Amino acid sequence: MSDATLVDLQRRRAFRAPTNEAPWLRVLLTLGVVGVLALLLFAPLIVVFVDALAQGAGAALASLANPDAESAIWLTLTVTAIVLPLNAAFGIAAAWAITKFDFRGKAFLITLIDLPFSVSPVVAGLCLVLLFGSNSLIGGWLVASGYPIIFALPGIVLATLFVTFPFVARELIPVMIEQGRAEEEAALTLGAGGWRVFFTVTLPNIRWALLYGVLLCNARAMGEFGAVAVVSGKIRGQTATMPITIEMLYNEYLSVAAFSMAALLALLALVTLTLKTLLEWRYADQLAANHRH
Amino acid sequence: MSRALLHPSPMPGFGLAMGVTLTMLSLVVILPIGALLWKGAAFGPLEVWRVINTERSFAALFLSFRVALLAALFNLVFGCLLAWVLVRYRFPGRRLIDAAVDLPFALPTAVAGIALTALYAPNGAIGSLARELGMKIAYTETGILIALIFVGLPFVTRTVQPVIEEIEKEVEEASATLGATRAYTLRRVVVPMLAPAALTGFALALARSVGEYGSVIFIAGNIPLVTEIAPLLIVIRLEEFDYNGAAAIGIAMLFISFSMLLAINAVQIWSRRRIGYV
Amino acid sequence: MHIQIDEISKEFGSTAALTPVTLGIPSGALAALLGPSGSGKTTLLRILGGLEFPSSGRVLFDGQDATGLSVQERRAGFVFQSYALFRHMTVFENIAYGLRARPRVSRPADAEITRRVTKLLDLIQLPQIGTRYPSQLSGGQRQRVALARALAIEPRMLLLDEPFGALDARVRKELRQGLREIHDNTGLTTVFVTHDQEEAMELADLVVVMSMGRIEQVGRPADIRARPKTDFVREFISV
């Protein structure tokens, strides 16, 4: 190799595009953030499964087959099955009203919809207790008529609805703003009725965004703890959801049972993340702009 | 905007959509929050203050907001670094890590709580290491901090990531051609461009951390005056059927949270106006 | 400053953006790199500015090897096609940026910075816009601010990437005249990239016609028009 090309080679190695950081800094930063994530995200996730299987898979499965555990799983599924359709219906209605019409107070309405994200779940539960608890006006009357809300299923549903309230609407509004009204207007001029326009034009355009919102809503609904803890009364076998059961088992030092239930929910979280990532890769163009990586 | 309440539109379904929206909103959000505010109005600000102004309530509120602020600040810096690494660098496992950032959104808080406790308790995998170094993590304020960092982790990253993707490479190049070092470019050009989005993420992380309950109560130790957070104190008051006490702390939390969010919002509007783009 | 490009080539992965090209640009010239998109003209300009590193070959400034100089050390006034103004800074701060970015020892005092920026605002005939933000300017004003920002560092040469690309026809004519005047006043060796043959012919002293990573012809506008060397040049300048 001639001297000239050797010098050339050295120079090229020294050259760094002006938009890059120094190589040592890149390596350091990458290792740094991956290290922090390993300690904060990956380690806890692994611990859940390790502790669940501490006495073997048999013990873990047996703890889930216990009647109280089964009733908790059943309750969580019931609550989610009620909350998801309600939340989806609300999200679609709100997004339709907000993106297809111009009216005064729109910004205020959006602020109100987002409000639950800035309220502590415990405070949300507290609000429901104050409104529907047996010593409140409405609550007293409802309990006397045999329809208790607090310490019963309706309270858990309301609390879950509160904390998951903005999920679907927040996902749909930006997507529907971006898509505009032209397609719906075209369908109307062709003589289609309102419902027909919605099912044949709007819904196909927003289905993946809707699924994305419902997915996030589902994860939060099945895992909500703070708000439900306040309103459920934690009656074993009756108003104890899966997360509440985890707390009770943990406080009774039944580690394998607590972590087995936790592992079940962690699996759900992993499925949620996988589906969410798949949606982001596959249908990025049909989701809200900030999910497009 | 004109003064019309509703602009005429050929689009159908306003009545139904608005009806469903307002009914749900009232039933689920407005009425319950209204009940809390009503309770507060009924016994007046002085009474609220009297209840909060006990050593225990005050300590709990101060602890909640102080540690949440620390956690959100950590997430502000770390979230920007993480977003930068994920967008700008290529390394094996990058997409897996990108997907994993949302884990705190997907993992139920109670699960996160017991897992973090098992990990950072004095007999846990990391906690025992820390103990040998003479540190205690779980059952101290540090433990609360770790739990709050966990729940707020994705917010800043997810708001900043799309902004980094949109930065024109040419702007950074222009800075270099004008003689600026890489560090100067990052400080004077890149960071100011990320600031509004980072601030949004910070506000979201802060709001979430302040009210967090599930992931904290396991790792906190819950000693009154020391590691007892405000949401836990609300739960304790409710279990004692002290509804007034619970409501007073709830109102204080609402009030402080909203003031903070309003302040952050104002800063953001100011910075947007200054930068001159929306 | 005399610019000598010596057997420069550039590959991006397996595709060649520049096959070895050699070119001399005399001191004080106003040169145009003319060609269709993909001809390698922008790559060549970026190599001159230090934004890309050539796969082989050398760049000489006044006979001195400058190939290894970093972008900061080159002191080339670079105007980007998108102007790349800092949108969170006022026009004044944009122009002052290069002076403020200097290490403390060579950084001018604030009063001196103000004096220089004011002078540059006068030079681009926009003395009143110092306090505005880039978003509040028209396209033509932005281009002139980008030019002033590049001039503020007292560059050794001026490099412009499609400087008139994003403007409408009337403003373009006006700004061509402006660039000519600034070039004549400062005497800076100036290289600009364009795909518009009329622009190149009207404005430049030296036109470099490029196609597919090669230089097809170098010459004065009149010579190129009178004696096109290849079919490509004949066709390209007749459009």
Side-chain angles (χ1 to χ4, degrees):
Chain A
M1 201 181 281
S2 75
D3 280 1
T5 50
L6 203 72
V7 171
D8 244 31
L9 257 173
Q10 283 168 350
R11 274 199 205 128
R12 203 154 313 134
R13 230 169 264 149
F15 180 81
R16 168 157 66 85
T19 48
N20 286 344
E21 285 78 48
W24 65 266
L25 184 59
R26 297 165 73 100
V27 171
L28 197 74
L29 261 180
T30 310
L31 289 179
V33 298
V34 171
V36 170
L37 291 183
L39 287 180
L40 273 179
L41 293 188
F42 295 108
L45 194 60
I46 294 166
V47 161
V48 171
F49 293 102
V50 169
D51 282 11
L53 299 173
Q55 292 166 23
L61 289 175
S63 76
L64 292 175
N66 161 311
D68 286 346
E70 276 179 359
S71 128
I73 295 171
W74 190 242
L75 177 62
T76 291
L77 290 177
T78 311
V79 170
T80 310
I82 299 171
V83 166
L84 286 192
L86 283 175
N87 208 320
F90 161 76
I92 291 170
W96 182 271
I98 284 168
T99 62
K100 302 296 177 195
F101 300 92
D102 295 310
F103 53 90
R104 254 202 294 165
K106 195 190 268 191
F108 184 61
L109 181 62
I110 295 175
T111 309
L112 280 181
I113 292 173
D114 276 345
L115 194 62
F117 275 168
S118 35
V119 174
S120 167
V122 169
V123 174
L126 166 70
C127 290
L128 288 171
V129 170
L130 291 178
L131 185 62
F132 295 115
S134 55
N135 57 347
S136 76
L137 210 61
I138 311 174
W141 176 72
L142 282 169
V143 170
S145 337
Y147 298 104
I149 290 192
I150 301 305
F151 305 150
L153 181 67
I156 300 174
V157 168
L158 279 174
T160 310
L161 268 177
F162 184 100
V163 294
T164 58
F165 202 65
F167 276 114
V168 176
R170 267 196 143 193
E171 192 55 38
L172 290 185
I173 290 170
V175 171
M176 284 170 71
I177 287 177
E178 205 173 317
Q179 287 173 346
R181 304 171 188 173
E183 284 185 44
E184 281 85 0
E185 282 167 355
L188 286 173
T189 63
L190 296 171
W195 286 109
R196 199 179 170 79
V197 170
F198 175 74
F199 281 111
T200 59
V201 178
T202 311
L203 196 58
N205 279 337
I206 62 169
R207 61 189 159 173
W208 299 116
L210 180 63
L211 184 61
Y212 192 95
V214 169
L215 201 65
L216 295 182
C217 181
N218 178 55
R220 184 73 195 260
M222 293 187 77
E224 178 50 30
F225 180 69
V228 173
V230 173
V231 299
S232 85
K234 302 181 184 176
I235 308 161
R236 203 180 293 264
Q238 285 180 41
T239 61
T241 60
M242 289 171 78
I244 301 287
T245 306
I246 291 175
E247 186 203 13
M248 297 195 296
L249 294 170
Y250 187 83
N251 287 341
E252 288 156 20
Y253 302 102
L254 296 169
S255 171
V256 167
F259 278 100
S260 299
M261 184 75 78
L264 210 56
L265 283 175
L267 277 179
L268 169 84
L270 290 179
V271 171
T272 304
L273 277 188
T274 310
L275 288 176
K276 182 175 159 300
T277 308
L278 286 179
L279 277 177
E280 280 163 12
W281 289 353
R282 182 88 177 69
Y283 300 105
D285 54 325
Q286 293 174 50
L287 298 179
N290 58 342
H291 304 309
R292 290 171 195 165
H293 305 308
Chain B
M1 201 186 276
S2 83
R3 306 293 299 157
L5 209 56
L6 171 67
H7 287 245
S9 162
M11 222 49 94
F14 182 76
L16 179 65
M18 205 52 157
V20 171
T21 304
L22 291 182
T23 307
M24 289 279 286
L25 193 64
S26 311
L27 198 66
V28 177
V29 179
I30 297 174
L31 270 177
I33 289 186
L36 176 62
L37 296 179
W38 177 254
K39 191 95 185 167
F43 52 66
L46 273 176
E47 180 68 12
V48 171
W49 175 248
R50 200 187 58 75
V51 174
I52 297 165
N53 199 16
T54 62
E55 204 186 357
R56 190 172 173 189
S57 306
F58 200 76
L61 281 168
F62 186 52
L63 176 71
S64 273
F65 283 93
R66 181 174 35 143
V67 183
L69 195 66
L70 279 180
L73 282 174
F74 176 91
N75 278 328
L76 178 65
V77 176
F78 179 74
C80 286
L81 291 178
L82 176 58
W84 187 261
V85 168
L86 287 176
V87 175
R88 289 295 178 95
Y89 301 170
R90 291 293 171 268
F91 54 94
R94 183 184 64 92
R95 295 185 96 173
L96 177 76
I97 286 175
D98 194 0
V101 169
D102 282 332
L103 187 69
F105 285 161
L107 196 68
T109 53
V111 178
I114 64 169
L116 286 170
T117 311
L119 202 57
Y120 290 96
N123 58 350
I126 300 173
S128 57
L129 281 178
R131 193 177 52 179
E132 277 174 25
L133 297 170
M135 287 189 303
K136 198 176 168 201
I137 300 177
Y139 317 128
T140 68
E141 219 176 292
T142 317
I144 303 177
L145 182 66
I146 285 181
L148 293 186
I149 288 173
F150 175 87
V151 297
L153 193 73
F155 289 102
V156 174
T157 307
R158 289 307 188 221
T159 49
V160 166
Q161 239 173 333
V163 181
I164 295 178
E165 270 161 23
E166 272 168 33
I167 293 180
E168 292 169 273
K169 219 174 138 200
E170 294 193 335
V171 174
E172 290 169 61
E173 288 179 346
S175 172
T177 64
L178 295 168
T181 59
R182 186 65 186 149
Y184 192 87
T185 303
L186 290 174
R187 190 156 56 82
R188 292 291 313 277
V189 176
V190 175
V191 168
M193 288 172 98
L194 303 186
L199 207 58
T200 306
F202 172 77
L204 291 169
L206 186 61
R208 177 71 204 261
S209 310
V210 164
E212 179 57 23
Y213 175 71
S215 58
V216 178
I217 53 160
F218 298 100
I219 203 170
N222 306 330
I223 305 157
L225 300 178
V226 184
T227 53
E228 183 179 66
I229 55 168
L232 176 66
L233 193 54
I234 293 179
V235 173
I236 291 174
R237 292 287 180 249
L238 280 174
E239 280 167 359
E240 294 164 349
F241 300 104
D242 177 4
Y243 290 115
N244 289 357
I249 303 168
I251 287 168
M253 285 190 71
L254 267 190
F255 183 75
I256 303 174
S257 300
F258 288 163
S259 319
M260 282 193 319
L261 289 183
L262 230 87
I264 290 170
N265 233 328
V267 170
Q268 218 157 12
I269 290 170
W270 172 80
S271 83
R272 286 239 163 100
R273 196 164 292 161
R274 204 175 69 99
I275 294 167
Y277 68 94
V278 189
Chain C
M1 189 181 64
H2 179 88
I3 300 172
Q4 181 65 41
I5 292 158
D6 202 6
E7 293 285 320
I8 289 275
S9 74
K10 176 72 186 173
E11 285 130 32
F12 291 108
S14 59
T15 54
L18 286 173
T19 55
V21 296
T22 297
L23 173 69
I25 299 170
S27 187
L30 178 53
L33 301 179
L34 171 67
S37 62
S39 59
K41 55 191 195 304
T42 295
T43 305
L44 189 55
L45 192 80
R46 287 171 61 86
I47 288 173
L48 286 180
L51 294 170
E52 306 276 358
F53 196 84
S55 304
S56 70
R58 296 188 307 162
V59 178
L60 305 167
F61 292 159
D62 278 341
Q64 299 255 312
D65 190 343
T67 323
L69 283 188
S70 74
V71 56
Q72 287 89 355
E73 293 162 331
R74 293 209 184 197
R75 273 187 34 231
F78 206 109
V79 176
F80 291 84
Q81 183 170 8
S82 63
Y83 314 135
L85 293 175
F86 307 127
R87 58 185 180 181
H88 58 286
M89 295 181 197
T90 61
V91 167
F92 184 97
E93 285 304 321
N94 262 283
I95 297 174
Y97 185 87
L99 299 173
R100 294 203 201 280
R102 286 187 189 170
R104 198 168 297 257
V105 273
S106 56
R107 192 186 309 155
D110 273 356
E112 172 64 10
I113 291 178
T114 307
R115 197 187 63 76
R116 286 208 218 170
V117 173
T118 312
K119 210 175 128 200
L120 283 163
L121 283 169
D122 286 338
L123 181 74
I124 58 170
Q125 297 172 355
L126 294 169
Q128 306 296 337
I129 63 161
T131 56
R132 289 205 221 157
Y133 285 91
S135 61
Q136 301 165 312
L137 304 180
S138 72
Q141 289 172 328
R142 278 180 213 175
Q143 195 253 19
R144 283 189 275 174
V145 171
L147 192 58
R149 184 178 68 175
L151 289 170
I153 61 165
E154 296 168 313
R156 298 198 285 175
M157 67 196 133
L158 206 49
L159 307 172
L160 306 97
D161 188 6
E162 296 275 6
F164 312 108
L167 303 168
D168 64 57
R170 193 181 53 79
V171 182
R172 201 181 295 190
K173 280 241 158 65
E174 231 174 81
L175 288 183
R176 266 186 219 167
Q177 194 50 42
L179 179 60
R180 179 86 237 178
E181 276 166 19
I182 284 169
H183 170 260
D184 294 349
N185 287 338
T186 57
L188 283 170
T189 312
T190 302
V191 183
F192 71 97
V193 158
T194 180
H195 63 273
D196 180 346
Q197 57 93 12
E198 189 201 317
E199 192 167 283
M201 297 294 185
E202 192 180 305
L203 191 54
D205 317 322
L206 184 73
V207 175
V208 181
V209 187
M210 296 185 69
S211 159
M212 306 189 66
R214 282 189 314 273
I215 293 180
E216 296 277 335
Q217 188 171 0
V218 183
R220 302 176 152 283
D223 293 343
I224 290 184
R225 220 176 242 134
R227 284 177 294 280
K229 253 195 206 159
T230 63
D231 288 346
F232 173 82
V233 176
R234 184 176 306 114
E235 223 163 276
F236 193 72
I237 62 170
S238 69
V239 181

